[in-house]
């Protein structure tokens, strides 16, 4: 019954029903695309709506990131927001073009000069003669503000797309509310967007042909044109009722002689100008901020990449020096760049400084080069001679002919104890769990072999080594920690040299290297 009443009311204001069949139409009027085209349009609408949601969520994530200290993270989140917005703008423009072509709803006049308003619109004479181009766009802003250049200067206009499905501005700009995307998906009907484009197309055509008259005259003409093609747009009962109610309300105002002029007061223009100026200032400030942020992150990234490359370079030199002590020249060392970070070489060892069994080798030359404090070839050669080096790897032989050779865990443990003793005395601050974990391969180390292996060590290194020799057989390999080694090294007291003889050498206590163990130092250069 309600449907019949609605149609009766519409028949009162709609003089005739125009073409309402499939495309192409016989008279060039709106037409209904086939099911395949409608499904394709719904797929594209769904894609653009997802981008619309992504813009809003990306904007929130980016704004939240500005309160943190991760500058690179903030930049990447802003760029994700900007990318989502650019993609939305691009795909939404294409979507409108596809919909208006599929439904044939573009106006017959798609460009021209705006005409001077007539009748009650005398105060809007500045609207005359503005170049207008039919380019409808989706707007995902609740309020859209525009500065319009006219013959008499700059004027200002706005539209609330949260309250209206679409709007045409005095200069011919047409905006379609992005809220229609979700409406079209809810009803599974692209015609909801098509009818809004068609409605605004009537306003645009009036603007460049006769000029706008009263608001009511323009709305009656547009709603009447849409109502003539309700079957084409396949609108739901709710949309039919809404359009009919708007049509009847505007027609009633016309009949009562209470027409309203399309007018923007000087007060409104001043308010809109203030909002636009404020937004321009904000965008300008952000453009400067973004340029600084971009430069800062670019610089930080370049410095980090530089230091990573330098880290690999000194690792390569260290490995070459270990393989052939004395092969590195002073010119090579002088040619090394300076790092941006003093601790650039710390952290995970570069590839090649860790053996297949998990133990480190060639670490002393690596640490020496990493200090970047006047490295010289002679000192590098000595470090290379005293550090554990990677054993030569022979090509594998067929297993069925050559039995696997068991690993001598005792010998490997003794070699690791030597390395840890020297490292604990020379570089106590660089000891980490990566050095100690897995270093003790067995608790059963022959005492004569262990004592013989440490016979060339002196001073602090021999003191720590002897402590390890007695420590390991007790089966405490799981308790060996960097702290235990540091404590042994710090417990060493060198004998007082005879009068007139200098101290030093391997008999000296552990030197306080730049990263001397200090829980509050965080491995930065500490003051004495």
């Amino acid at each position: 019954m309600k449907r019949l009443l609605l149609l009766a009311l519409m028949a009162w204001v709609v003089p005739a029903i125009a073409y309402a069949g499939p495309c192409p139409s016989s008279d060039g009027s709106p037409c209904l695309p086939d099911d395949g085209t409608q499904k394709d349009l719904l797929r594209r609408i769904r894609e653009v709506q997802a981008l619309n949601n992504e813009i809003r969520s990306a904007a929130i994530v980016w704004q939240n990131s500005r309160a943190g200290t991760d500058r690179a993270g903030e930049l990447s989140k802003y760029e994700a927001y900007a990318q989502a917005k650019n993609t939305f703008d691009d795909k939404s423009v294409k979507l409108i073009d596809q919909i208006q072509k599929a439904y044939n709803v573009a106006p017959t006049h798609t460009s021209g000069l705006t005409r001077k308003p007539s009748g009650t619109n005398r105060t809007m004479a500045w609207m005359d003669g503005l170049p207008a181009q039919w380019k409808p766009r989706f707007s995902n802003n609740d309020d859209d503000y525009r500065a319009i250049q006219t013959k008499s200067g700059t004027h200002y206009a706005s539209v609330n797309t949260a309250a209206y499905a679409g709007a045409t501005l005095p200069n011919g700009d047409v905006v379609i509310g992005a809220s229609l995307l979700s409406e079209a998906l809810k009803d599974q009907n692209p015609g909801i967007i098509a009818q809004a484009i068609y409605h605004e197309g009537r306003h645009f055509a009036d603007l460049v042909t006769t000029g706008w008259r009263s608001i009511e005259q323009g709305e009656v003409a547009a709603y009447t044109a849409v109502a003539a093609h309700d079957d084409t747009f396949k609108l739901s009962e709710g949309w039919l009722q809404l359009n009919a109610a708007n049509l009847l309300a505007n027609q009633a105002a016309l009949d009562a002689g209470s027409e309203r002029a399309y007018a923007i007061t000087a007060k409104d223009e001043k308010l809109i100008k203030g909002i636009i100026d404020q937004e321009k200032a904000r965008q300008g400030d952000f453009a400067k901020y973004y340029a600084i942020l971009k430069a800062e992150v670019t610089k930080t990234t370049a410095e980090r990449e530089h230091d990573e490359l330098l880290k690999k370079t000194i690792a390569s030199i260290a490995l070459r020096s270990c393989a052939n002590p004395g092969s590195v020249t002073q010119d090579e060392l002088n040619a090394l760049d300076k790092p941006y970070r003093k601790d650039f070489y710390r952290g995970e060892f570069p590839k090649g400084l860790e053996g297949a069994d998990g133990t480190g080798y060639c670490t002393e030359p690596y640490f020496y080069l990493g200090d970047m404090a006047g490295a010289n070839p002679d000192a590098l050669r000595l470090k290379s001679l005293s550090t554990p080096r990677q054993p030569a790897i022979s090509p594998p032989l067929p297993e069925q002919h050559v039995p696997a050779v068991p690993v001598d865990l005792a010998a490997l443990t003794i070699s690791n104890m030597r390395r840890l003793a020297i490292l604990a005395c020379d570089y106590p601050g660089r000891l980490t769990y990566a050095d100690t974990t897995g270093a003790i391969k067995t608790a059963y180390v022959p005492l004569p072999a262990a004592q013989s292996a440490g016979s060339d060590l002196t001073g602090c290194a021999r003191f720590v080594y002897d402590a390890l020799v007695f420590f390991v057989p007790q089966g405490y390999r799981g308790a060996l920690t960097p702290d235990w080694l540091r404590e042994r090294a710090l417990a060493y007291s060198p004998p007082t040299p005879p009068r007139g003889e200098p101290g030093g050498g391997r008999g000296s206590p552990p030197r306080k290297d730049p990263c001397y163990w200090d829980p509050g130092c965080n491995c930065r250069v500490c003051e004495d």
Side-chain angles (χ1 to χ4, degrees):
M1 185 65 183
K2 184 186 293 184
R3 170 73 169 170
L4 293 175
L5 178 60
L6 182 63
L7 293 175
L9 289 170
M10 291 174 60
W12 175 55
V13 292
V14 180
I17 301 297
Y19 180 83
C23 295
S25 57
S26 57
D27 57 358
S29 59
C31 55
L32 180 65
D34 59 54
D35 290 345
T37 300
Q38 292 181 59
K39 288 180 180 178
D40 183 62
L41 290 175
L42 283 172
R43 179 184 62 80
R44 296 175 187 276
I45 291 170
R46 192 175 297 108
E47 181 181 0
V48 173
Q49 172 64 0
L51 287 169
N52 187 38
N53 293 335
E54 184 180 342
I55 290 172
R56 296 180 182 275
S57 60
I60 294 172
V61 170
W62 164 53
Q63 290 295 342
N64 290 341
S65 74
R66 300 189 69 179
T69 58
D70 182 4
R71 305 284 281 171
E74 178 186 343
L75 178 65
S76 68
K77 289 176 176 61
Y78 167 74
E79 290 179 336
Y81 160 73
Q83 178 63 39
K85 191 174 186 310
N86 290 338
T87 305
F88 172 84
D89 291 343
D90 179 58
K91 288 187 177 293
S92 64
V93 166
K94 292 178 180 177
L95 175 62
I96 285 183
D97 185 57
Q98 290 159 345
I99 290 175
Q100 66 178 356
K101 285 181 179 178
Y103 282 87
N104 195 34
V105 289
T108 53
H109 296 80
T110 56
S111 64
L113 297 177
T114 61
R115 302 292 297 272
K116 182 178 179 179
S118 60
T120 56
N121 287 326
R122 292 186 302 274
T123 58
M124 300 288 287
W126 57 263
M127 289 173 57
D128 186 41
L130 305 179
Q133 190 75 29
W134 172 253
K135 290 182 179 179
R137 298 288 186 269
F138 278 112
S139 173
N140 52 16
N141 299 317
D142 290 341
D143 292 293
D144 214 312
Y145 302 96
R146 302 295 173 92
I148 301 172
Q149 302 302 321
T150 73
K151 296 175 182 178
S152 60
T154 304
H155 286 268
Y156 300 89
S158 68
V159 63
N160 186 322
T161 54
Y164 301 98
T168 302
L169 290 147
N171 63 341
D173 286 352
V174 174
V175 292
I176 305 296
S179 60
L180 290 187
L181 294 166
S182 59
E183 292 288 335
L185 292 175
K186 183 179 70 175
D187 287 2
Q188 289 292 288
N189 179 19
I192 291 176
I193 299 174
Q195 60 100 23
I197 296 172
Y198 188 58
H199 180 111
E200 297 308 321
R202 301 315 95 195
H203 291 320
F204 182 90
D206 288 345
L207 184 64
V208 296
T209 54
T210 62
W212 282 348
R213 292 162 290 173
S214 68
I215 292 176
E216 286 74 16
Q217 286 175 315
E219 292 302 325
V220 165
Y223 279 115
T224 299
V226 170
H229 299 283
D230 279 344
D231 289 342
T232 295
F233 299 128
K234 297 174 65 177
L235 298 178
S236 66
E237 192 75 21
W239 275 100
L240 289 172
Q241 289 181 21
L242 177 63
N243 286 352
N246 287 332
L247 173 57
L248 294 173
N250 282 284
Q251 184 64 54
L254 281 178
D255 295 341
S258 55
E259 299 177 56
R260 296 168 297 160
Y262 181 89
I264 304 175
T265 66
K267 182 179 179 181
D268 289 339
E269 285 202 59
K270 183 178 180 181
L271 177 63
I272 296 169
K273 180 181 183 301
I275 294 173
I276 291 176
D277 290 346
Q278 185 179 18
E279 179 64 15
K280 280 184 178 178
R282 190 186 71 81
Q283 291 288 350
D285 290 342
F286 177 72
K288 294 176 184 177
Y289 171 79
Y290 173 72
I292 293 172
L293 178 64
K294 179 76 172 178
E296 179 184 320
V297 173
T298 301
K299 179 176 179 292
T300 302
T301 302
E303 290 175 355
R304 184 176 63 252
E305 291 174 351
H306 170 276
D307 283 0
E308 282 297 317
L309 180 60
L310 182 58
K311 182 177 180 178
K312 293 178 182 177
T313 301
I314 66 168
S316 175
I317 293 175
L319 288 169
R320 180 154 52 87
S321 181
C322 285
N324 187 10
S327 61
V328 179
T329 66
Q330 186 66 59
D331 288 342
E332 286 183 87
L333 299 180
N334 292 340
L336 290 172
D337 286 341
K338 297 297 180 184
Y340 289 98
R341 296 178 296 108
K342 291 184 178 180
D343 62 346
F344 75 102
Y345 60 96
R346 297 188 63 80
E348 184 178 350
F349 280 140
K351 185 177 181 181
L353 292 183
E354 186 175 345
D357 58 2
T359 60
Y361 60 87
C362 207
T363 52
E364 286 193 55
Y366 173 73
F367 285 137
Y368 175 69
L369 292 170
D371 281 339
M372 289 286 171
N376 66 78
D378 290 336
L380 180 62
R381 182 179 63 83
L382 292 175
K383 296 288 183 184
S384 302
L385 289 170
S386 64
T387 190
R389 292 184 293 277
Q390 183 179 22
I393 300 176
S394 302
L397 296 175
E399 289 186 10
Q400 61 270 30
H401 300 298
V402 180
V405 177
V407 177
D408 188 343
L409 297 179
L412 190 56
T413 298
I414 290 172
S415 174
N416 288 340
M417 289 194 299
R418 282 179 53 85
R419 174 175 60 84
L420 291 174
I422 295 171
L423 188 61
C425 290
D426 286 356
Y427 299 97
R430 297 196 179 96
L431 283 167
T432 68
Y433 279 94
D435 296 309
T436 59
T437 301
I440 307 305
K441 302 299 182 181
T442 178
Y444 304 101
V445 177
L447 186 59
Q451 291 176 331
S452 174
S455 61
D456 62 326
L457 298 176
T458 61
C460 175
R462 181 56 183 264
F463 178 78
V464 176
Y465 180 80
D466 288 343
L468 281 167
V469 168
F470 288 98
F471 176 86
V472 171
Q474 299 177 51
Y476 292 151
R477 56 179 176 167
L480 181 61
T481 66
D483 289 351
W484 187 90
L485 287 167
R486 293 189 193 101
E487 290 169 1
R488 299 289 81 72
L490 293 171
Y492 173 70
S493 298
T496 304
R499 182 180 296 276
E501 294 184 12
R506 288 291 188 184
S508 300
R511 66 185 181 90
K512 192 167 185 178
D513 71 306
C515 260
Y516 184 76
W517 181 62
D518 179 352
C521 178
N522 196 23
C523 281
R524 292 189 292 270
V525 176
C526 301
E527 298 180 357
D528 291 332

